[in-house]
Amino acid sequence: MDPMPSWVHLHMAALRAVAVLTMLLGIVCPLAVTGVAHLDPHTSVAYAELQAPRVARERGLDRAEVERLIRRHTTGRALGFMGEPAVNVLELNLALDGR
């Protein structure tokens, strides 16, 4: 008997599907490549921009405003050359909440 509940298998299959789709689009999906123990508050700029229309619609905001907030909460490369720019999701969500 399989020790994992069926919902775990469904969740894992959904994450694999998201990973394949985002790889085809050339965008890294943080939910598909990180585990629960990975608590990095950042996401890729491309993934944040992909979510902008949905966030704007759900929050009743103008898409341009959401994109402006994404840019405002994007950090540069470490030491100017290491890694990729990233969006601080916590700060972005607080800004979207108006805090």
Side-chain angles (χ1 to χ4, degrees):
M1 181 167 172
D2 189 350
M4 284 195 288
S6 61
W7 67 268
V8 173
H9 290 288
L10 289 173
H11 182 74
M12 290 169 52
L15 287 177
R16 281 192 295 272
V18 168
V20 169
L21 289 174
T22 55
M23 284 189 306
L24 290 173
L25 294 172
I27 299 170
V28 175
C29 174
L31 294 176
V33 296
T34 61
V36 175
H38 189 264
L39 299 176
D40 186 356
H42 296 87
T43 192
S44 71
V45 175
Y47 191 67
E49 289 171 348
L50 181 69
Q51 295 294 315
R54 182 190 61 79
V55 170
R57 183 179 63 251
E58 294 295 324
R59 290 180 175 259
L61 298 171
D62 183 55
R63 180 176 172 174
E65 174 66 11
V66 173
E67 290 170 347
R68 184 184 66 75
L69 288 170
I70 289 170
R71 285 190 302 277
R72 180 186 288 171
H73 295 284
T74 298
T75 60
R77 298 171 189 263
L79 301 175
F81 68 93
M82 295 188 321
E84 294 295 322
V87 178
N88 186 310
V89 177
L90 175 60
E91 290 178 1
L92 175 60
N93 282 327
L94 290 173
L96 287 165
D97 288 343
R99 297 183 196 164

